[in-house]
Amino acid sequence: MDDHNKAVATIAGQVRKFHSRQQPFRIYHGSTNSTRQSQHEHDNTINTAHLNHVIRTDCEAQTVLVEPNVPMDHLVQSTLAAGLVPLVVMEFPGITVGGGFSGTSGESSSFRHGFFDATVNWIEIVLPNGEVRIASKISDPDLFWGAASAFGTLGVVTLLEVQCQQAKPFVELQYQSTSSMAHAMDIFRTAASDPQIDYLDGIVFARDQIVVCIGRLTDSLPANAKPQRFTGARDPWFYLHAQKRTKSFSRNPDYIPLTDYHFRYDRGGFWVARYAYSYFLVPFNRITRYILDYFMHTRVMYHALHESGHSKRYIIQDVAVPYAATTEFLDWLDQKQNFGAYPIWLCPLRHSEGLMARSDSKNSIPPSTDPEDDGYLMNFGLWAPSPFHRNTDQFIAQNRRLEGKVRELGGKKWLYAHAYYTEDEFWSIYDKRKYDQLRERYHASYLPDLYQKVRVRLAASEDGNGRKGWGSIRDLVWNLWPVSGLYGVYKAWRGGDYLLKTKQKSKT
């Protein structure tokens, strides 16, 4: 802990300097699973990338003490060595503990345990005046739950205690297919009511083709059963395997090693990488997936996505609606002008208590007649190229239609992705009064607020005087196929830091 405490003291000192000047700063974590463009510069950034250690695992208390920039794969590796596994493990190995806490993250165990932030006991946080504070669900709960979904706008989280459970070697995974959203919801409800079920999610392959994946931890394999893996270059991509299983006559479950289960969507980034094959006119088959496997992992894919700028071509949104609205929402998504793409990920979630994670929309639909639905939302993972990506106005309109429909249904969206709300729309969803009170109480008023941090800057290519300059010529070249895609692949292959911009040398 000595090294940790020294690092935190250094960060606190840097924050105090920013506070004394009332100069806003941003937090650089060293990695991201956000699709928003980076606003980091050397002179406006607190660097916490070195806070990437697992400090201690407590087998008796079933907790792990961890710094915020430990990625999920390292966290799981560390806890498994002690016979434990976190209650909620995000599906991409590069998602960090701090990112999961501050960014409203959930996964297939969140129907049981809630969002990742609900599995954190307490945090250490450097407040925006440089004070180091411990906050928990009991001590300073307003700060704890405010920080849980405020994307770093209430301070710098430097340490977290995360709840775990006893690990078992395998996940027994069953696949149940159906042709309607209403029936799929019945399957979700039934599975969630079974205390032996540990994991639950689903994939919509078409409006009338839905598979629900139901998992439970198990100690051993049945006789003659072989482990089904998903993390090796020769292994199938999970979503393709799930689709194949629903078409087979066998109803036997898969037995998946625990780590393979948690990161089953890493290769291919669910299915987003398939669109890269289409973009580059590359055949999509087992051979090409094997040859290009290095580029098909999410850490590399996010690097390429940022460098190429292709996040502006895609609908990349996670949104959630109440259970009672799921059929209406899927019918709406099925229309091409709204989304019109498949697959779609389904993940049932317990509500979070986080201030910014909770939707306060007054336009919610009537509550479900099933009292068991209270406190639950269904997450829809929507990731596909937009048919309007060549027309900025239509692309923005498509995203805004999606945001508006989710508001209408009383749902919410995760803010790791592009947000196209107007400021009034944004604060009609989230409780600005409580948020501003928290910011004032904890000395954060001088920092950019959440809306300023997550909103899309539509004029990002303009200079300070609003002129396009030579950028318009550059954009013409950049938009020629396949210039931007090849650049993104090259930068991802080369590696290096793609978030923290190099400080420009002053001209003499």
Side-chain angles (χ1 to χ4, degrees), residues 249-297:
F249 292 104
S250 173
R251 292 295 179 264
N252 294 329
D254 283 332
Y255 290 87
I256 307 170
L258 184 55
T259 298
D260 284 69
Y261 174 81
H262 281 309
F263 305 127
R264 65 202 181 281
Y265 289 117
D266 176 48
R267 293 172 58 249
F270 283 89
W271 38 82
V272 175
R274 180 167 189 168
Y275 301 121
Y277 286 80
S278 299
Y279 174 83
F280 287 112
L281 306 179
V282 174
F284 184 75
N285 54 51
R286 292 186 65 179
I287 296 174
T288 57
R289 290 195 294 273
Y290 172 76
I291 294 172
L292 298 173
D293 184 70
Y294 169 80
F295 296 98
M296 297 298 104
H297 293 260

Side-chain angles (χ1 to χ4, degrees), residues 323-353:
Y323 274 16
T326 52
T327 296
E328 177 183 346
F329 189 49
L330 183 60
D331 289 345
W332 185 87
L333 290 171
D334 188 65
Q335 301 174 45
K336 185 175 182 179
Q337 70 271 22
N338 297 328
F339 186 62
Y342 296 96
I344 294 171
W345 188 48
L346 299 176
C347 188
L349 305 164
R350 281 187 180 273
H351 275 296
S352 169
E353 296 185 38

Side-chain angles (χ1 to χ4, degrees), residues 104-351:
T104 316
S105 296
E107 228 282 326
S108 61
S109 60
S110 291
F111 81 97
R112 182 76 67 207
H113 304 293
F115 291 96
F116 181 77
D117 56 45
T119 71
V120 175
N121 289 332
W122 56 264
I123 61 171
E124 176 187 73
I125 182 171
V126 178
L127 299 181
N129 66 346
E131 176 187 353
V132 180
R133 184 81 67 91
I134 300 295
S136 72
K137 299 167 186 176
I138 299 172
S139 174
D140 290 330
D142 59 342
L143 176 59
F144 177 87
W145 287 116
S149 46
F151 287 77
T153 60
L154 286 175
V156 185
V157 175
T158 52
L159 193 66
L160 308 92
E161 184 181 82
V162 179
Q163 299 172 31
C164 298
Q165 63 181 340
Q166 288 294 322
K168 295 183 180 180
F170 300 99
V171 173
E172 178 190 275
L173 194 66
Q174 296 181 322
Y175 306 88
Q176 293 193 29
S177 59
T178 178
S179 60
S180 76
M181 192 69 202
H183 186 214
M185 293 308 300
D186 289 338
I187 297 173
F188 277 116
R189 292 185 183 98
T190 300
S193 66
D194 184 345
Q196 294 187 339
I197 300 303
D198 299 294
Y199 302 106
L200 189 58
D201 71 339
I203 304 173
V204 184
F205 290 101
R207 187 177 181 179
D208 59 354
Q209 184 187 355
I210 304 171
V211 59
V212 179
C213 307
I214 305 168
R216 69 178 185 91
L217 291 164
T218 184
D219 285 309
S220 58
L221 295 174
N224 300 321
K226 295 182 178 180
Q228 176 61 60
R229 298 184 179 275
F230 297 105
T231 55
R234 297 180 183 276
D235 298 331
W237 288 8
F238 177 75
Y239 91 96
L240 294 172
H241 177 80
Q243 187 174 35
K244 182 178 179 181
R245 285 300 312 270
T246 62
K247 295 179 180 179
S248 70
F249 292 104
S250 173
R251 292 295 179 264
N252 294 329
D254 283 332
Y255 290 87
I256 307 170
L258 184 55
T259 298
D260 284 69
Y261 174 81
H262 281 309
F263 305 127
R264 65 202 181 281
Y265 289 117
D266 176 48
R267 293 172 58 249
F270 283 89
W271 38 82
V272 175
R274 180 167 189 168
Y275 301 121
Y277 286 80
S278 299
Y279 174 83
F280 287 112
L281 306 179
V282 174
F284 184 75
N285 54 51
R286 292 186 65 179
I287 296 174
T288 57
R289 290 195 294 273
Y290 172 76
I291 294 172
L292 298 173
D293 184 70
Y294 169 80
F295 296 98
M296 297 298 104
H297 293 260
T298 49
R299 280 188 172 99
V300 179
M301 288 174 57
Y302 270 103
H303 196 152
L305 187 69
H306 278 271
E307 294 288 3
S308 68
H310 278 206
S311 61
K312 299 176 183 177
R313 298 171 176 260
Y314 283 69
I315 296 292
I316 303 179
Q317 303 283 2
D318 272 273
V319 299
V321 300
Y323 274 16
T326 52
T327 296
E328 177 183 346
F329 189 49
L330 183 60
D331 289 345
W332 185 87
L333 290 171
D334 188 65
Q335 301 174 45
K336 185 175 182 179
Q337 70 271 22
N338 297 328
F339 186 62
Y342 296 96
I344 294 171
W345 188 48
L346 299 176
C347 188
L349 305 164
R350 281 187 180 273
H351 275 296

Side-chain angles (χ1 to χ4, degrees), residues 51 72 115 174 202 206-207 220 236 239 298 363 396 402 470 503 507:
L51 295 180
M72 285 294 108
F115 291 96
Q174 296 181 322
R207 187 177 181 179
S220 58
Y239 91 96
T298 49
N363 299 320
I396 293 171
L402 174 61
W470 86 280
K503 186 175 182 179
K507 295 181 179 180

Side-chain angles (χ1 to χ4, degrees), residues 4 27 67 89 124 155 199 246 254 325 343 373 382 411 436-437 492:
H4 170 82
I27 306 168
E67 292 179 325
V89 177
E124 176 187 73
Y199 302 106
T246 62
D254 283 332
D373 290 355
L382 308 174
D436 285 345
Q437 288 175 348

Side-chain angles (χ1 to χ4, degrees), residues 354-389:
L355 175 69
M356 303 313 300
R358 184 175 60 246
S359 171
D360 294 320
S361 173
K362 299 178 177 61
N363 299 320
S364 60
I365 63 171
S368 170
T369 56
D370 188 339
E372 295 298 319
D373 290 355
D374 292 342
Y376 283 92
L377 293 171
M378 180 60 72
N379 179 83
F380 286 70
L382 308 174
W383 318 299
S386 168
F388 308 114
H389 71 268

